[in-house]
Amino acid sequence: MACTAEAVIQTALSYVGVKENPNGSNITPFTLEYFDGNLPANPAASAPWCVIFGWYCFKHTNASDIFYDGKKVGSCAYVLRWATANKLTVNKEQARRGDILLFDWNKTS
């Protein structure tokens, strides 16, 4: 698959409906691959899978190099720091299809 935003989006869309099993556990195919099948003792507390899902989608679209320099990442804050340092952030008026959206639920940045 080509290394384009649309290809990553299509990969992500192919997983619509995938859920944690059991509910609330953060155990998904994405976290299992991220941790090479060796989940932390408490994945519900230590492995939120929102960014891990992004990492997984880029990896499975052969686009790892354009997301967090191809490294594993499990923290929205780390992604934001990386994107800011690499001048990859935009405001909501500049956003377009394919951009990664990060929410600051705690309003810390």
Side-chain angles (χ1 to χ4, degrees):
M1 197 177 274
C3 185
T4 65
E6 193 59 38
V8 176
I9 291 167
Q10 291 306 311
T11 297
L13 287 172
S14 74
Y15 292 100
V16 168
V18 172
K19 300 176 182 175
E20 302 166 341
N21 188 10
N23 190 34
S25 68
N26 283 327
I27 299 172
T28 66
F30 325 115
T31 52
L32 288 170
E33 184 168 325
Y34 183 86
F35 290 106
D36 299 318
N38 300 308
L39 290 171
N42 184 0
S46 58
W49 58 280
C50 53
V51 172
I52 291 173
F53 176 66
W55 164 83
Y56 182 97
C57 290
F58 277 86
K59 179 182 178 204
H60 285 266
T61 312
N62 297 318
S64 291
D65 59 325
I66 62 172
F67 180 71
Y68 205 69
D69 296 326
K71 299 177 287 187
K72 287 183 175 181
V73 62
S75 165
C76 290
Y78 289 3
V79 172
L80 179 58
R81 279 187 231 134
W82 170 81
T84 301
N86 288 282
K87 298 180 177 21
L88 297 172
T89 57
V90 297
N91 63 39
K92 64 182 177 182
E93 288 78 25
Q94 298 167 312
R96 59 184 183 173
R97 182 175 170 85
D99 288 346
I100 296 170
L101 175 65
L102 299 172
F103 290 98
D104 183 7
W105 300 110
N106 298 322
K107 299 181 182 3
T108 57
S109 41

